[in-house]
């Protein structure tokens, strides 16, 4: 009986020990494998990827809690959720998170001759944009998605390698988990492989820029996942299918790159200042969350 009990305890603790030793790798393997399963089954059985996306959000959140708890204990889990609700940041970050990307996207469309007035009117379009950004996007999805990607994966890599390398490394699993999205519109049988290839190439090329923007917003706000989630939701709501003021897909990507350049300068200035640099170095991504 004693031997069986010891074997049972050993078998149950072995996976947790492995997660503790390799938290980022464990997160990636668990989150991607389960999310792919949910997305593929959703497309095959229901012909709609939305249930798979909802499952992905739950999987990301659950995996983030599992990995953080196994690696660092319950206090680290509580701290992770505190960062998700960290609202006390400079007002300019709220303005940037909610309005910068749609404004830049519209300005780029205007400058390149791809702009057109919204067919449903400005008031309705802006109302839909705020709904998609604040409620459907951030509150119900992107804050919790970024709790996982920024708060767990990028946070840990950033501590050891800095924001640029962290963005590049995080971009790989972040892109991988979105691969089934290429089949979202027409399904597996009706989507051409040429369209899939283009979608995947754009995804992998764009992901590092997007992840670096999220990382800089995270640093610039003192690790507010709330702002990062708002910024992510704003990006999703600035697509041409939702922000009906331009034709094409590239303007939204260009807006991210422009905002990234501005954010990089802003965060660099913050770090260079003596007071902010001392605070940054003193609170550099906490060692206990490795």
């Amino acid at each position: 009986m004693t031997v069986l009990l010891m074997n049972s305890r050993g078998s149950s603790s072995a996976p947790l020990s492995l997660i503790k030793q390799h938290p980022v790798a464990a997160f990636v393997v668990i989150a991607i494998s389960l999310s792919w399963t949910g997305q593929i089954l959703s497309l095959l059985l229901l012909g709609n990827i939305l249930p798979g996306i909802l499952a992905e959000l739950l999987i990301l959140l659950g995996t983030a809690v599992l990995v953080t708890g196994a690696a660092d204990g319950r206090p680290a889990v509580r701290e992770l959720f505190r960062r998700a609700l960290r609202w006390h940041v400079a007002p300019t970050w709220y303005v940037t998170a909610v309005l910068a990307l749609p404004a830049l996207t519209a300005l780029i469309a205007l400058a390149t001759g791809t702009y057109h007035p919204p067919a449903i009117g400005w008031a309705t379009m802006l109302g839909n944009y705020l709904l998609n950004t604040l409620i459907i996007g951030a509150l119900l999805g992107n804050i919790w998605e970024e709790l996982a990607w920024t708060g767990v994966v990028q946070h840990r890599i950033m501590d050891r390698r800095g924001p640029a390398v962290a963005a590049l490394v995080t971009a790989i699993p972040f892109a991988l988990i979105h691969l089934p999205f290429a089949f979202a519109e027409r399904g597996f049988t009706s989507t051409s492989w040429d369209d899939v290839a283009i979608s995947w190439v754009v995804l992998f090329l764009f992901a590092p820029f997007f992840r670096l923007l999220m990382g800089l917003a995270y640093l610039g706000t003192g690790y507010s996942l709330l702002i990062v989630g708002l910024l992510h939701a704003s990006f999703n709501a600035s697509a041409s299918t939702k922000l009906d003021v331009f034709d094409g897909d590239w303007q939204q990507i260009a807006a991210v790159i422009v905002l990234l350049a501005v954010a990089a300068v802003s965060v660099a200035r913050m770090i260079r200042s003596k007071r902010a640099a001392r605070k940054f170095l003193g609170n550099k991504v906490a060692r206990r969350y490795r």
Side-chain angles (χ1 to χ4, degrees):
M1 178 70 72
T2 304
V3 173
L4 290 174
L5 184 59
M6 289 177 64
N7 287 338
S8 175
R9 287 176 178 174
S11 62
S12 63
S13 63
L16 293 179
S17 177
L18 193 61
I19 291 172
K20 185 171 184 177
Q21 292 173 22
H22 308 283
V24 172
F27 175 90
V28 169
V29 171
I30 296 170
I32 291 182
S33 59
L34 292 180
S35 294
W36 275 356
T37 301
Q39 292 167 10
I40 291 170
L41 288 176
S42 183
L43 283 168
L44 288 175
L45 300 179
L46 304 174
N48 188 338
I49 200 172
L50 182 58
I53 294 174
L54 297 176
E56 177 196 332
L57 289 172
L58 294 176
I59 290 164
L60 286 172
L61 181 59
T63 308
V65 171
L66 170 65
V67 167
T68 303
D72 303 305
R74 291 183 181 180
V77 174
R78 289 193 291 269
E79 170 59 22
L80 185 62
F81 279 92
R82 276 196 290 267
R83 280 183 266 143
L85 302 175
R86 187 165 293 166
W87 61 270
H88 191 63
V89 300
T92 52
W93 275 109
Y94 283 99
V95 175
T96 299
V98 176
L99 299 178
L101 285 177
L104 285 170
T105 302
L107 287 173
I108 290 169
L110 188 63
T112 56
T114 55
Y115 167 85
H116 62 76
I120 58 176
W122 277 102
T124 302
M125 190 200 70
L126 290 175
N128 289 341
Y129 168 78
L130 291 174
L131 176 65
N132 285 324
T133 298
L134 301 178
I135 307 299
I136 298 174
L139 184 61
L140 298 181
N142 295 122
I143 292 174
W144 314 112
E145 182 180 3
E146 289 302 332
L147 178 146
W149 288 116
T150 302
V152 175
V153 179
Q154 213 159 330
H155 183 109
R156 291 173 180 276
I157 302 170
M158 198 183 300
D159 185 21
R160 300 180 181 181
R161 302 295 182 183
V165 173
L168 287 171
V169 175
T170 306
I172 298 172
F174 179 77
L176 285 173
I177 207 170
H178 289 92
L179 289 184
F181 283 43
F183 302 94
E185 188 175 344
R186 296 188 296 273
F188 289 112
T189 57
S190 300
T191 305
S192 72
W193 281 105
D194 288 341
D195 290 339
V196 171
I198 292 171
S199 174
W200 286 354
V201 168
V202 172
L203 175 61
F204 275 96
L205 290 176
F206 174 64
F209 295 98
F210 184 79
R211 293 312 323 165
L212 183 55
L213 178 60
M214 297 300 108
L216 291 178
Y218 186 58
L219 286 176
T221 57
Y223 313 134
S224 171
L225 292 168
L226 173 63
I227 295 296
V228 177
L230 282 170
L231 188 56
H232 189 151
S234 174
F235 168 77
N236 291 342
S238 297
S240 60
T241 54
K242 297 177 181 179
L243 192 70
D244 182 29
V245 295
F246 66 99
D247 298 313
D249 299 312
W250 62 270
Q251 298 91 333
Q252 185 189 17
I253 295 175
V256 167
I257 294 173
V258 172
L259 184 59
L260 173 59
V262 175
V265 172
S266 175
V267 173
R269 285 179 176 173
M270 179 197 75
I271 294 173
R272 277 198 299 264
S273 69
K274 183 180 293 188
R275 184 176 178 183
R278 189 178 298 124
K279 180 181 178 181
F280 174 77
L281 292 172
N283 297 292
K284 188 178 179 182
V285 188
R287 301 289 178 185
R288 65 173 182 245
Y289 298 113
R290 283 183 175 177

